[in-house]
């Protein structure tokens, strides 16, 4: 409950939908390619941005790719699933679908190095628990992958496997404080704006974001930002400790 006249709490900063899409593409190790209804699994992505393999072009005559009167260019669909690296309930964090038409033949995993595929971009669709968003090519071009995207899985599993007590400590920053109904807390996501914890109850779960003091621009800054959160949690823990 907010007191009359008190300022509203500022929601924790979070990536835009376009940034989420770019980050999912940048960290992807596999994808499903659907061309004219034929599905093929590509599992040889190295974690590099998939847009280096598929060159996306604007659609329409203004881009120099006018469709013929009887457009028989194959439709292409690229599907990606963003899965949490930690063993939380409901591990699928999001799905990205890129729709378009082929401008050059598809270079599958058996193609020679250097082969590439040009795609007339239609749109990207991001589906998360919060809803569905549609991202145009201009938005996608202007967004950048999160600097932590390639390292997120390793950082979260390291936190959970080697320092579970720190996850418990971070709960001190959650407001309102978790109730006794919470049976488990796990790190769910990490990005340049902060860390997200999943609080699992006997029935259902909820996610809470803990914002860094400031967004980071490089993975090298992550250690200091995480330590700042932990220090804040320790200070809050001391304030909540009653004298003997």
């Amino acid at each position: 409950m907010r007191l009359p006249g008190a300022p509203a709490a500022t929601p924790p900063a979070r990536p835009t939908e376009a940034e989420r899409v770019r980050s999912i593409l940048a960290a992807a190790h596999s994808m499903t390619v659907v061309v004219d209804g034929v599905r093929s699994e590509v599992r040889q992505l190295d974690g590099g941005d998939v847009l280096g393999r598929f060159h996306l072009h604007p659609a329409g005559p203004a881009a120099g790719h006018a469709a013929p009167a009887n457009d028989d260019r194959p439709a292409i669909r690229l599907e990606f699933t963003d899965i949490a690296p930690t063993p939380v309930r409901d591990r699928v964090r999001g799905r990205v679908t890129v729709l378009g038409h082929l401008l050059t033949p598809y270079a599958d995993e058996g193609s020679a190095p250097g082969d590439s595929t040009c795609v007339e971009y239609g749109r990207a669709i991001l589906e998360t628990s919060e809803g569905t968003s549609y991202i145009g090519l201009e938005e996608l071009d202007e967004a950048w992958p999160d600097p932590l995207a390639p390292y997120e899985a390793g950082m979260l599993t390291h936190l959970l496997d080697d320092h579970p007590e720190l996850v418990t400590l971070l709960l001190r920053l959650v407001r309102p404080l978790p109730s006794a109904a919470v049976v488990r807390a796990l790190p769910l996501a990490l990005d340049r704006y902060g860390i997200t914890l999943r609080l699992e109850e006997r029935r259902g779960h909820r996610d809470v974001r803990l914002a860094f003091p400031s967004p980071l621009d490089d993975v090298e800054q992550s250690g200091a930002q995480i330590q700042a959160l932990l220090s804040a949690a320790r200070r809050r823990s001391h304030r909540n400790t009653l004298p003997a």
Side-chain angles (χ1 to χ4, degrees):
M1 178 177 177
R2 184 165 58 94
L3 297 176
T10 302
R14 62 181 63 226
T16 66
E17 285 84 359
E19 289 173 335
R20 282 286 309 276
V21 169
R22 287 300 303 264
S23 297
I24 290 172
L25 298 186
H29 290 276
S30 65
M31 66 179 171
T32 300
V33 180
V34 185
V35 179
D36 272 355
V38 179
R39 303 175 67 88
S40 59
E41 303 295 326
V42 180
R43 304 184 184 279
Q44 297 179 342
L45 302 178
D46 58 2
D49 196 334
V50 74
L51 296 189
R53 176 172 181 151
F54 287 87
H55 302 282
L56 303 183
H57 297 270
H65 299 297
N70 296 320
D71 189 0
D72 58 355
R73 296 168 304 162
I76 187 169
R77 179 185 184 102
L78 311 178
E79 299 176 349
F80 305 84
T81 303
D82 178 27
I83 299 176
T86 51
V88 296
R89 295 177 187 164
D90 189 9
R91 292 185 64 183
V92 175
R93 301 185 298 189
R95 300 182 191 276
V96 170
T97 303
V98 179
L99 302 174
H101 287 87
L102 282 174
L103 299 177
T104 60
Y106 167 53
D108 62 18
E109 59 265 43
S111 300
D115 285 357
S116 61
T117 300
C118 292
V119 175
E120 182 182 85
Y121 180 87
R123 60 181 175 176
I125 304 170
L126 172 65
E127 299 173 86
T128 69
S129 60
E130 298 174 347
T132 301
S133 303
Y134 301 90
I135 296 92
L137 184 57
E138 184 176 348
E139 292 177 87
L140 201 63
D141 281 341
E142 292 178 352
W144 290 91
D146 193 284
L148 297 186
Y151 311 98
E152 181 199 22
M155 295 172 75
L156 289 182
T157 53
H158 172 72
L159 175 62
L160 181 61
D161 294 343
D162 298 340
H163 304 286
E165 74 283 357
L166 298 183
V167 179
T168 302
L169 178 61
L170 288 173
L171 291 178
R172 291 285 186 177
L173 298 177
V174 175
R175 288 295 181 270
L177 283 170
S179 69
V182 175
V183 296
R184 188 169 71 156
L186 298 173
L188 172 69
L190 183 66
D191 55 56
R192 65 188 296 259
Y193 299 101
I195 186 169
T196 300
L197 304 179
R198 172 155 292 175
L199 309 185
E200 298 182 349
E201 301 178 353
R202 288 182 176 82
R203 296 182 179 179
H205 60 261
R206 68 184 178 100
D207 299 336
V208 293
R209 285 185 64 85
L210 303 177
F212 290 143
S214 60
L216 55 84
D217 299 311
D218 187 272
V219 66
E220 299 297 331
Q221 301 170 359
S222 60
Q225 295 282 25
I226 292 172
Q227 285 301 321
L229 283 183
L230 294 172
S231 295
R234 292 187 181 97
R235 290 193 298 272
R236 185 160 290 176
S237 180
H238 292 326
R239 288 199 299 268
N240 292 339
T241 299
L242 297 177

